[in-house]
Amino acid sequence: MKKFFLLTAAMISFFYISEKASAGSIIEPYAGALLNSTYNAKGVVKGDLSGTAVGARLGFSQMGFMAGLDGRRIFSKFEPETGTDSEYTFSQLGFFVGYELPIMLRFWGEYVFSYDGADDDDADNKIKKGSGTLFGVGYAVLPFVSLNLEMSSVTTTESTNLANGTVDQDIDHKSWVVSISLPLHL
């Protein structure tokens, strides 16, 4: 609930700032797939990640520059080198800045300030307190359709389960996301 209020307050602020600065608002829903992604729980286990991501970028743009918030849900499958697979659903929030070139090419960077996930089969297993960076490039194939490639590196520092309680555990998530988006400039 706290994240919802934070996101709502930030969006009201973005629209207020964009109106005062004569900037346009950005609403960009997207959907994509994780490709060639890995995780490494230092000293415990490592393996591959697969799955999908859906979300939206909300913010403002002026003269090619853009900034705002990015929120997404990631439905991922952990495939360890040894052991059984597990499926997690993550929530990710970040602040992005970028630039859109006149040749329908855009670049952006993002600071991920919230990255938390829960096991789909056992809600007591959680991965928490994640943060990191994300870099993306997009190309507009049609006026309102963009193909995007993103590379992210996020580290979570805490895991929780019923048997062990809360444990400090660094898990590095490195992923490539290929997505299609609908960038709308209002």
Side-chain angles (χ1 to χ4, degrees), residues 19-35:
E19 179 184 325
K20 295 296 181 192
S22 298
S25 299
I26 300 171
I27 299 174
E28 182 178 2
Y30 58 85
L34 278 71
L35 301 175

Side-chain angles (χ1 to χ4, degrees), residues 32-38 49-51 149-150 174-179:
L34 278 71
L35 301 175
N36 198 24
S37 302
T38 61
L49 283 172
S50 61
L149 176 64
E150 297 174 331
K174 299 198 182 307
S175 62
W176 292 86
V177 177
V178 174
S179 65

